Amino acid sequence: MIEDLATLDMAPLDAILEEYAGQKGAVIPILQHAQEAFGYLPKEVLAEISKRTRIPVSQLIGVATFYAQFRLDRRGKHLIRVCDGTACHVRGASKCIEAVEKSLHVAAGSTSEDYEYTMEIVYCLGSCGLAPVAVVDDKVLGRLTPNSLVDQLSGLD
Ligand code: FES
């Protein structure tokens, strides 16, 4: 479930904080569950967790920024990770990236205004034999062309 900030309801935190009440070292599971509930970790949620657990916000942010699994910014509904590592680059990854930028109005490294897409550029997904490669919502797409990538992304619901 991804919450809209305008309607951010802190109710999901009740059960999460109750489950870990008084437990030392529970920062990571609390943040994991909060991220599952909100889709990311908005600063309002971190402030609320801090208020109720008395864990300083700075500590929560420190943990959230240390571990790659945590997100402090809202992501799009679909996460597109396009590889621009050497094997993919020489096989035209940059043209695929440009095609996505133009067609879906999402710049590399950012999220579209409608929060449909987030595009990240990565540097080797370990599938160089399929270059150029992208991973879209955990699905590996290989031997891409700009058109095939845009077509597959446009078909997402
Ligand atoms: S360089 Fe792209 S998968 Fe390895």
Side-chain angles (χ1 to χ4, degrees):
M1 177 176 73
I2 295 177
E3 290 285 337
D4 188 330
L5 261 189
T7 59
L8 200 58
D9 173 5
M10 297 295 171
L13 287 181
D14 294 345
I16 297 166
L17 295 177
E18 196 174 307
E19 184 179 347
Y20 294 99
Q23 288 185 35
K24 285 202 188 305
V27 173
I28 289 174
I30 288 172
L31 293 179
Q32 284 170 330
H33 288 292
Q35 182 164 282
E36 276 166 29
F38 295 94
Y40 70 115
L41 296 170
K43 61 181 186 311
E44 293 83 351
V45 168
L46 294 178
E48 189 67 22
I49 292 171
S50 173
K51 194 169 100 189
R52 297 204 214 169
T53 61
R54 297 174 190 261
I55 298 168
V57 171
S58 58
Q59 188 180 335
L60 297 174
I61 291 175
V63 171
T65 52
F66 182 80
Y67 293 99
Q69 64 177 299
F70 295 117
R71 298 185 293 276
L72 295 173
D73 296 315
R74 183 177 168 188
R75 267 189 185 170
K77 186 170 152 196
H78 299 291
L79 176 61
I80 307 158
R81 288 187 292 151
V82 185
C83 181
D84 198 21
T86 306
C88 291
H89 187 80
V90 298
R91 290 181 176 264
S94 52
K95 287 197 166 48
C96 293
I97 293 165
E98 278 170 31
V100 174
E101 288 184 320
K102 279 192 190 138
S103 303
L104 303 179
H105 308 290
V106 54
S110 71
T111 297
S112 59
E113 280 182 16
D114 60 4
Y115 290 103
E116 276 295 304
Y117 307 100
T118 293
M119 177 161 63
E120 293 178 351
I121 309 302
V122 295
Y123 298 93
C124 196
L125 288 161
S127 303
C128 308
L130 296 175
V133 181
V135 174
V136 179
D137 298 336
D138 297 326
K139 186 175 172 199
V140 178
L141 307 177
R143 300 200 172 89
L144 293 167
T145 64
N147 285 342
S148 72
L149 178 56
V150 169
D151 284 351
Q152 292 181 80
L153 293 172
S154 301
L156 297 171
D157 58 5

